[in-house]
């Protein structure tokens, strides 16, 4: 069992936040709140929010803070968050972190731990550009590090895998630049609040998962 259950996963794109969040949420029955997944769904469904977010997501830029904070605020009210949650990809700016704090005060919750996934940029680029996702269950594969059993097909669903358009080399590089400028300041921000734990995200998921459990216990 883990002690901390209201969590933020912080780290650059490609650090493995989504993969470990999926594993942890399944085992510990936590709600996995990936703002990237929610936004891609909204875009796919052509909702108002999806229309507003589309150009930012496609180009690898950040969707405006108030839109994402509002979206997360609503999601946190859902029943499955009562047992704990992992915020994966949110907050991504100091302003979003301040907005999150306000939302949490309103609903009487607080963040218990922020896990920082540390990895070098060369590896991040390699992981991002080789990443494939299942159209149905969102499981991540990687043509270099964790290929599917059958090329281009999800091991779990038997459905075709796809590459995210923003995982192209050029856009991946842009996303890392944005991360360094806008999101990296959240590391000292949460350190100051005594909430930060660091894990080595250069390891395989099988090796970094026990590290994650250790820092949450
Ligand atoms: P991700 O799946 O976390 O890599 O996110 C994919 C894209 O969704 C990002 O490149 C942004 O365009 C958008 N996005 C996801 N989370 C946020 C956020 N917290 N703030 C702004 N934009 C976001």
């Amino acid at each position: 069992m883990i002690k901390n259950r209201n969590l933020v996963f912080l780290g650059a794109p490609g650090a493995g936040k989504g993969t470990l969040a999926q594993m942890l949420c399944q085992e510990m029955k936590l709600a996995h709140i990936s703002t990237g997944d929610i936004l891609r769904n909204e875009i796919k469904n052509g909702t108002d929010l999806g229309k507003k977010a589309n150009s930012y997501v496609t180009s690898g830029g950040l969707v405006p803070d108030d839109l994402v904070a509002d979206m997360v605020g609503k999601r946190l009210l859902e029943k499955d968050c009562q047992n704990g949650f992992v915020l994966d990809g949110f907050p991504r700016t100091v302003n979003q972190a301040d907005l999150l704090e306000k939302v949490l005060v309103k609903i009487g919750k607080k963040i218990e731990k922020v896990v920082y996934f540390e990895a070098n940029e060369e590896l991040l680029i390699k992981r991002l550009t080789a990443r494939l996702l299942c159209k149905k269950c969102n499981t991540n594969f990687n043509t270099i590090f964790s290929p599917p059993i059958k090329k281009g097909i999800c091991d779990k669903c038997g459905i075709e895998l796809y590459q995210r358009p923003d995982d192209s080399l050029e856009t991946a590089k842009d996303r890392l630049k944005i991360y360094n400028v806008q999101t990296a300041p959240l590391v000292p921000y949460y350190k100051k609040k005594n909430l930060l734990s660091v894990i080595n995200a250069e390891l395989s998921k099988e090796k970094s998962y026990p590290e994650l459990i250790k820092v949450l216990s």
Side-chain angles (χ1 to χ4, degrees), residues 114-163:
V114 176
V115 183
Y116 171 44
F117 288 60
E118 200 171 38
N120 77 73
E121 288 217 357
E122 201 183 323
L123 177 65
L124 293 171
I125 289 281
K126 227 174 169 177
R127 278 192 186 152
L128 286 171
T129 52
R131 176 159 73 177
L132 293 176
L133 281 107
C134 174
K135 283 181 180 162
K136 192 174 168 202
C137 72
N138 262 333
T139 298
N140 276 316
F141 294 89
N142 190 292
T143 56
I144 305 170
F145 303 108
S146 53
I149 296 165
K150 200 169 159 199
K151 195 177 168 197
I153 303 289
C154 176
D155 291 353
K156 292 183 190 162
C157 311
I159 299 266
E160 208 186 330
L161 302 173
Y162 75 102
Q163 184 185 36

Side-chain angles (χ1 to χ4, degrees), residues 71-142:
M71 180 179 98
V72 172
K74 286 187 186 131
R75 179 67 184 85
L76 284 169
L77 290 175
E78 287 179 34
K79 210 171 158 213
D80 63 337
C81 296
Q82 280 171 8
N83 194 33
F85 55 84
V86 176
L87 287 170
D88 161 14
F90 180 90
R92 253 178 160 97
T93 64
V94 168
N95 184 39
Q96 286 183 15
D98 290 337
L99 291 171
L100 172 64
E101 208 155 286
K102 282 185 194 143
V103 166
L104 290 171
V105 167
K106 254 194 218 162
I107 61 177
K109 291 187 198 282
K110 62 174 194 240
I111 296 298
E112 292 162 346
K113 184 72 80 182
V114 176
V115 183
Y116 171 44
F117 288 60
E118 200 171 38
N120 77 73
E121 288 217 357
E122 201 183 323
L123 177 65
L124 293 171
I125 289 281
K126 227 174 169 177
R127 278 192 186 152
L128 286 171
T129 52
R131 176 159 73 177
L132 293 176
L133 281 107
C134 174
K135 283 181 180 162
K136 192 174 168 202
C137 72
N138 262 333
T139 298
N140 276 316
F141 294 89
N142 190 292

Side-chain angles (χ1 to χ4, degrees), residues 11-14 17 34-40 43 53-65 67-69 71-72 88-93 96 128 131 133 164 166-167 171 175 178 183:
K17 305 183 297 295
S34 156
T35 43
D37 283 351
I38 301 174
L39 288 166
R40 279 185 289 279
I43 293 169
N54 191 12
S55 61
Y56 300 101
V57 175
T58 314
S59 65
L62 291 188
V63 174
D65 291 344
L67 286 184
V68 228
M71 180 179 98
V72 172
D88 161 14
F90 180 90
R92 253 178 160 97
T93 64
Q96 286 183 15
L128 286 171
R131 176 159 73 177
L133 281 107
R164 278 171 46 177
D166 58 343
D167 279 344
T171 312
R175 286 161 62 211
I178 290 174
T183 311

